[in-house]
Amino acid sequence: MRTSRQHISVPGITPLVDVVFLLIVFFVLVSRVVDLDRVPMDLPMPDPALSAPPMERSTAVVNVVPGDDGEAAGYRLDGTTHATDQDGRNALRHALAAHLLADPTTAVVIRADRRARSGGVLPVLHLARRAAAEAGLAVPVRVELAVERPR
Amino acid sequence: MRRRTPVQMGLNIASMIDVVFLLLIYFMVATDFSPAEETFRMDLPDRRIGSEAFSLKDTPLRVEVLAPGSRAKPLYNIPGYGVPTGSVVSLQQQLANLRGEGGAAKFTPDHPVEILVSPSAGWAGAVEAFNAAITAGYSNVRIDERGGS
């Protein structure tokens, strides 16, 4: 009697490699999309602008979260949203001071929507100045205003 | 003699789809979807210390950004030197006329310029005024609150 040939199943290495590559690409994509530093908003777009590309150095990005009718709904720094009341502003000032203490060359980047009222944005300038004093900075704090480059 | 059966030539569709998907993902990764973001830089001196850039001997050239109405466009004004205007191009021209040597020029390019923004004015207008001052050739520009502390 003839015995039936036994099939040894071997997992194909090609689909495995495919899946691994797809996983790598997926995580590369996700890491690019998820940017806690930047809240989606329409930045001011002066045209023609003499703005410059952001410098490659330490930054503390303060997002003025857009609220109703141009008011600021909060200030977002390092993934934490601080309220616009006095307690929130104090917390933001301490967080900025911690950045400046860790690295005195840190630039405070202010991102605010083009429809925002200045009354919600200007306090961040005061807080940056006070944070620099709190951190004992001997030089003026560097502030950068984020804008969108016209395409 | 046994006849050899003809070999069927065909493309493997599964691997083609794999390659197409990989190409698609490659171009998605390579493309920058986010709008290009740039910055205007300025130094904020501590008012208590005073700084060389904004010391008393150099009274800053002040540019006011006002909000005449709740939804109106901002109004730009250079107190003592210009006429109020709603056009940022006109503001830039006035600032450029004040800069340089001789003639009507009153300020050097490194003279401090202070953009004083009304809290009710739009942020875009404040940034436009900042850009106008830089474009007019001033190198020492900063933004502050009009009538602020």
Side-chain angles (χ1 to χ4, degrees), chain B residues 108-129:
Chain B
T108 55
D110 62 342
H111 191 92
V113 177
E114 210 170 27
I115 312 289
L116 297 173
V117 187
S118 166
S120 54
W123 179 242
V127 175
E128 291 275 7

Side-chain angles (χ1 to χ4, degrees), chain B residues 11-28:
Chain B
L11 287 173
N12 189 352
I13 199 76
S15 52
M16 277 186 73
I17 292 173
D18 273 1
V19 170
V20 168
F21 269 111
L22 282 175
L23 281 174
L24 180 72
I25 290 169
Y26 167 77
F27 283 111
M28 279 177 69

